[in-house]
Every structure is written in C-alpha cells, then in structure tokens.
Amino acid sequence: VLPGPHRPGELARALAAALASGRGAVAVLPDGRAAARVDAALTALVGDGRHVLLTADAGAEARYRRWLAVNRGQVRCVVGTRAAMFAPVRDLGLVAIWDDGDSSHRDPREPMPHAREVLLLRAARDGCGFLLGAHGSTVEAAQLLETGWARPLAADRDAVRAGAPLVRTVGDGD
C-alpha cells in the first residue's frame, strides 16, 4: 500500500469493480473507524443502497436489518469488522481483508477462526479474488506468496518514494 491517506479509496475501488462485474464483495477491516472510512469512500463511488456496513457500532437492530438485506440478495457488498467474514453475500467476486496481522481479526478465545482464513476458504470455494492489504507482511501472508497461492501487488520503488514523506536526519553540520 502506498503511503498516505488513500487506502480507503483504493479498497473501495476494488469493491466497486467487483460490483460492476455483476458479482458480490466482502471487505473485513480491523475496526469500526477503518470500516466507516471505506464505507464512505464506497458510497461516494457507487451511491447509497449498493452495500452495507456491518459493525457493532450500528446496534443490534440495524445490524440485523442489514444482515437480512444481504441474506435476501438485496445488497451484494459488505464492508465491516470481523463478523462480516460470514456475511452471506451471493456470487462472490472479491473478498478483502486489511491488516491481517491485527489482533482484532481473531477471537481471543481460541480456537476461533481468523478472518483471513475464513476469507481464504471462501475465495477458494467460490472461485473469487482474494485481496490482502497491509503496510507490512505477516508470516501467513508471506507463506501465501511463497507457495504461489498469491502474488504480490506492489508499487515500484519510485512510486513509493513519491508518496512517502521526506525524512531527513540532522547531522553535525545542521
């Protein structure tokens, strides 16, 4: 991921592309604030009513109403926190997870599934794309690359340098 505040918009474009292809999408983010940013970016791209936000912040009644909309096929895209990994989106075209190393993607009361593993299984079962984004790589993500199950999507060094802030150290002559 390139440095800067563009991550929610980039993820929203990937979800919008899945919707434009006629397929569904699920994105799992580590917390409600991150999910809300992607929700806002996706709303700006595709408009209201094409996706739902599933987070605990919505409250039980609103969350259940949104879940039913997904289950009935009225909505084909879900952005949310860990529980969104089980959203019954039909005809999946993309599953995405941001920062798979964040501890909120797993339940501390083991043995519970990790969101990355559930999304990997859904991608394999439904024959859809799997997108894992983060500023760093976990051992599990590196293993997916090593085994050839996944391929890296990385910007070239010049693009990373152009987006990164300039860091200058102070020396004796300054």
Side-chain angles (χ1 to χ4, degrees):
V1 174
L2 289 175
H6 310 295
R7 176 190 44 83
E10 296 294 328
L11 185 52
R13 278 194 278 290
L15 299 170
L19 286 173
S21 74
R23 298 186 74 188
V26 173
V28 177
L29 293 107
D31 58 54
R33 287 186 326 222
R37 286 192 293 268
V38 173
D39 174 60
L42 188 57
T43 300
L45 284 174
V46 300
D48 287 326
R50 303 267 330 263
H51 71 284
V52 295
L53 177 65
L54 290 178
T55 63
D57 299 336
E61 185 178 321
R63 201 169 54 242
Y64 185 61
R65 189 171 42 253
R66 293 171 186 175
W67 185 272
L68 287 177
V70 174
N71 195 36
R72 293 174 179 150
Q74 297 166 333
V75 176
R76 299 180 60 148
C77 182
V78 172
V79 175
T81 51
R82 192 170 67 85
M85 66 184 166
F86 294 119
V89 175
R90 297 180 188 160
D91 193 24
L92 274 176
L94 176 69
V95 292
I97 185 169
W98 173 256
D99 193 9
D100 67 317
D102 192 289
S103 62
S104 62
H105 286 305
R106 67 173 180 79
D107 192 313
R109 296 173 299 272
E110 299 290 347
M112 296 300 282
H114 190 287
R116 176 192 55 247
E117 304 307 321
V118 171
L119 294 177
L120 281 168
L121 288 170
R122 289 188 75 178
R125 184 192 70 193
D126 294 347
C128 71
F130 174 80
L131 179 63
L132 188 154
H135 290 294
S137 180
T138 60
V139 172
E140 294 83 1
Q143 183 181 16
L144 292 171
L145 295 173
E146 181 70 27
T147 61
W149 196 93
R151 289 184 299 220
L153 295 173
D156 62 24
R157 193 74 183 141
D158 292 333
V160 173
R161 280 197 179 123
L166 177 63
V167 176
R168 191 172 146 256
T169 60
V170 178
D172 290 337
D174 292 328

